[in-house]
C-alpha cells in the first residue's frame, strides 16, 4: 500500500512529461504503464513540433510548449532537427490566406514568412510545378517522440519516481487506483492514457482517429523542410469520416516520412490499402519524385480526440483528487511539455502561464 | 569463341563480367579487398548476407537509382554503379 502525491497513469509523451515535471517540483510520483513506454500514439506520431493557428487556445498552448521543447534541442535521444515547416499553397485562395495566417501566428509570438513561388522552388526543387507559393516557419523542428518519452521517464525515475511498468490500472478508487494484480496505489491520480481515458473516466468522451504513415529508405537531400499543404487544417479539423492531407517530413537519417490520413470509426490496427493509396496519391500530387522511392515500412496509429478537438487538461470536476491530461489528437507531441506545465501548476495551486479555461475537462461534463 | 561479357563501372572503375552475372558478383570481382556495398546508419560497412533479395544488405545506387539490390540485378552493358552510400 504505497502513497504518493501524484500517480500518473500512462507513460506516453504526455504522461512522462507530467511525471518528470512533478518530480522536479518535489512531488512523490508513481507512473503506471501497461504497455511499452511511449508505445501508443507517441510511437505512431510524426514528431513534428508545429504551431497550428486555427484555434487560439490551441495556438497559445502550442507556442508555450514549443518554447519548452528548446530544452531538448541538443539532446541526442530526441533526434531534434530544426528543419522548419514549409506550408505550400496549391490554390490561389490558399496563398491569399497566408498574410492572415502570418498575422495570427505573429500575435502568438510565432515568426512566419510568406514565400513566393520562385523561393518555394529554390527551397524545395522536388515540389510539383504550378504551386502558388507558401509560408515558412523556420524555427520549427521534428523530434523522435518515443525516445523522448523514455528519456523523460528516465529523468523522473532518477528523481525518485516509482515506475510500475507492465501493470494496468483497472479502476479509480476513492483514494487512489487499483491495478490488475489487485494492488492499490494511494494518492491523487492523473489519467494520461490518451484513447484509453474512457476505461477509467467514462464521463469524458474520447474517439480514436486512425492515421497511416509510411517511411522510406534513406534518400538524403530530396526534401529539406517539413512540408504540409495549407489545406491541411481542413483535413485535420474537419469532421469527415475520412480525409487525407499532404504532410511529408525529412528525418535526420535521410529517410522520408509520409502522411497523413484521418479516419473516425475504424478501430482495427490493420493498414487499409485503400486509405494508404489515397494518402500516397495526395503526397505524389505535391512531390511526384516520391513515386520512385522505396518504402520501408507502413504503420497505423490512433489519435485521442476529445469531443471538441481540444485536449482535456485539469481537474476532473466530478471526482475528488482526479486529474486528466489527454485528448490532444494530432498535437500531443507538440503540446506535451506545455500540457505538463499547465497541469502541474494546477495540481500545485499555482496560476498557469497560459489560460487553462479552454482545456478544463468540466466543459465535457455538462 | 569466348563467352559474351558486359562492361560496367563500379565507383568509376571499369569492370568486365560474364553476361548474366549479377551486379553483386561484379562488385565482388572488382575489389582486391573485402567489397563494400553500403554503410549502416552508424557508418559500418555492409555486404550481401543472403544473396537472394531478403537481407537488403547489398543495396547500391545503379544508374542514379538508390537502394537497388545488387544480388537481384543483372549486370548490363554501360551500367554506372555507386557503392558505399
Amino acid at each position: 500500500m504505497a502513497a504518493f502525491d501524484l500517480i500518473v497513469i500512462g507513460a506516453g509523451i504526455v504522461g512522462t512529461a507530467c511525471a518528470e515535471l512533478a518530480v522536479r517540483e518535489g512531488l512523490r510520483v508513481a507512473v503506471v504503464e501497461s504497455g511499452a513506454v511511449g508505445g501508443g500514439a507517441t510511437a505512431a506520431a510524426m514528431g513534428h513540433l508545429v504551431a497550428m493557428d486555427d484555434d487560439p487556445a490551441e495556438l497559445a498552448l502550442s507556442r508555450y510548449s514549443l518554447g519548452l521543447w528548446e530544452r531538448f534541442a541538443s539532446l541526442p535521444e530526441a533526434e531534434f532537427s530544426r528543419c522548419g515547416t514549409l506550408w505550400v499553397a496549391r490554390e490561389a485562395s490558399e496563398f491569399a490566406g497566408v498574410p492572415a495566417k502570418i498575422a495570427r501566428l505573429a500575435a502568438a509570438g510565432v515568426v512566419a514568412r510568406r514565400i513566393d513561388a520562385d523561393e518555394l522552388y529554390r527551397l524545395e526543387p522536388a515540389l510539383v510545378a504550378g504551386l502558388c507559393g507558401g509560408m515558412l516557419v523556420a524555427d520549427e523542428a521534428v523530434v523522435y517522440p518515443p525516445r523522448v518519452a523514455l528519456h523523460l521517464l528516465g529523468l523522473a525515475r532518477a528523481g525518485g519516481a516509482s515506475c510500475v511498468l507492465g501493470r494496468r490500472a483497472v479502476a479509480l478508487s476513492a483514494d487512489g487506483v487499483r491495478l490488475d494484480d489487485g494492488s492499490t496505489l494511494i494518492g491523487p491520480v492523473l489519467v494520461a492514457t490518451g484513447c484509453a481515458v474512457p476505461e477509467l473516466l467514462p464521463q469524458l468522451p474520447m474517439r480514436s482517429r486512425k492515421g497511416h504513415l509510411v517511411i522510406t529508405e534513406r534518400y538524403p537531400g530530396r526534401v529539406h523542410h517539413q512540408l504540409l499543404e495549407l489545406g491541411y487544417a481542413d483535413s485535420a479539423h474537419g469532421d469527415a469520416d475520412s480525409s487525407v492531407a499532404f504532410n511529408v517530413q525529412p528525418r535526420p537519417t535521410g529517410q522520408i516520412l509520409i502522411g497523413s490520413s484521418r479516419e473516425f470509426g475504424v478501430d482495427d490496427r490493420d493498414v487499409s490499402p485503400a486509405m494508404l493509396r489515397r494518402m500516397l496519391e495526395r503526397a505524389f500530387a505535391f512531390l511526384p519524385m516520391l513515386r520512385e522511392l522505396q518504402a520501408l515500412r507502413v504503420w497505423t496509429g490512433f489519435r485521442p480526440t476529445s469531443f471538441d478537438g481540444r485536449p482535456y487538461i485539469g481537474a476532473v470536476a466530478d471526482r475528488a483528487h482526479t486529474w486528466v491530461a489527454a485528448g490532444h489528437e494530432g498535437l500531443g507531441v507538440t503540446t506535451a511539455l506545455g500540457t505538463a506545465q499547465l497541469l502541474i501548476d494546477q495540481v500545485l495551486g499555482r496560476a498557469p502561464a497560459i489560460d487553462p479555461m479552454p482545456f478544463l475537462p468540466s466543459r465535457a461534463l455538462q | 569463341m569466348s563467352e559474351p561479357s558486359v562492361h560496367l563501372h563500379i565507383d568509376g572503375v571499369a569492370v568486365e563480367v560474364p553476361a548474366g552475372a549479377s551486379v553483386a558478383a561484379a562488385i565482388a570481382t572488382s575489389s582486391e579487398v573485402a567489397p563494400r556495398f553500403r554503410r549502416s546508419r552508424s557508418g559500418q560497412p555492409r555486404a550481401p548476407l543472403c544473396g537472394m533479395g531478403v537481407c537488403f544488405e547489398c543495396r547500391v545506387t545503379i544508374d542514379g537509382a538508390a537502394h537497388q539490390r545488387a544480388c537481384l540485378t543483372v549486370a548490363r552493358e554501360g551500367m554506372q554503379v555507386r557503392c558505399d552510400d
Side-chain angles (χ1 to χ4, degrees), chain A residues 138-363:
Chain A
D139 280 346
E140 287 180 346
V142 302
V143 293
Y144 187 51
R147 287 192 73 192
V148 178
L150 201 56
H151 178 76
L152 286 164
L153 190 68
L155 292 177
R157 194 196 292 259
S162 301
C163 296
V164 186
L165 302 180
R167 287 266 158 262
R168 179 178 293 277
V170 290
L172 302 182
S173 59
D175 56 1
V177 61
R178 203 172 68 250
L179 306 184
D180 58 1
D181 61 351
S183 65
T184 307
L185 302 178
I186 304 296
V189 173
L190 164 61
V191 181
T193 53
C195 290
V197 157
E199 292 174 17
L200 295 173
L201 296 169
Q203 63 272 51
L204 292 179
M206 192 75 79
R207 291 197 289 173
S208 298
R209 206 169 188 185
K210 186 176 179 178
H212 287 73
L213 285 174
V214 176
I215 195 155
T216 69
E217 300 277 12
R218 284 183 261 144
Y219 297 96
R222 305 281 189 116
V223 178
H224 309 280
H225 305 77
Q226 171 101 29
L227 297 170
L228 293 99
E229 59 175 296
L230 273 158
Y232 177 84
D234 301 339
S235 159
H237 300 282
D239 215 31
D241 277 347
S242 74
S243 64
V244 295
F246 169 60
N247 185 344
V248 161
Q249 176 187 110
R251 295 299 306 168
T253 56
Q255 292 172 284
I256 299 172
L257 190 51
I258 305 168
S260 64
S261 77
R262 283 180 153 76
E263 288 173 277
F264 277 130
V266 182
D267 51 16
D268 68 82
R269 308 195 69 84
D270 298 352
V271 170
S272 151
M275 207 64 204
L276 186 60
R277 170 182 293 265
R278 247 179 93 185
M279 182 178 92
L280 287 173
E281 289 297 344
R282 189 80 188 170
F284 296 158
F286 286 85
L287 278 176
M289 65 89 183
L290 291 177
R291 286 183 186 280
E292 293 140 39
L293 308 189
Q294 294 192 49
L296 197 61
R297 202 161 70 86
V298 181
W299 66 93
T300 63
F302 293 91
R303 307 173 181 91
T305 306
S306 72
F307 79 102
D308 62 358
R310 283 182 190 154
Y312 304 125
I313 305 168
V316 181
D318 61 344
R319 286 190 55 95
H321 313 302
T322 308
W323 305 86
V324 64
H328 297 74
E329 197 175 333
L331 284 174
V333 176
T334 294
T335 58
L337 304 180
T339 293
Q341 201 67 55
L342 199 54
L343 192 281
I344 300 300
D345 278 341
Q346 291 178 80
V347 168
L348 298 173
R350 295 189 305 216
I354 62 168
D355 183 8
M357 285 292 293
F359 307 105
L360 293 181
S362 51
R363 71 188 193 279

Side-chain angles (χ1 to χ4, degrees), chain B:
Chain B
M1 190 68 181
S2 65
E3 60 179 311
S5 62
V6 296
H7 305 79
L8 62 164
H9 281 89
I10 296 169
D11 289 333
V13 178
V15 177
E16 183 180 344
V17 290
S22 69
V23 172
I27 295 168
T29 58
S30 74
S31 175
E32 297 291 312
V33 292
R36 242 208 306 270
F37 284 71
R38 56 178 290 264
R39 284 183 182 274
S40 73
R41 259 300 290 155
S42 59
Q44 296 176 311
R46 292 284 185 263
L49 177 75
C50 72
M52 58 186 203
V54 177
C55 76
F56 282 75
E57 295 291 20
C58 68
R59 284 172 291 155
V60 294
T61 300
I62 301 175
D63 294 336
H67 303 293
Q68 304 302 301
R69 282 169 283 178
C71 72
L72 297 184
T73 307
V74 176
R76 300 266 176 237
E77 189 65 30
M79 263 183 179
Q80 296 288 336
V81 179
R82 212 171 67 232
C83 304
D84 213 13
D85 279 347

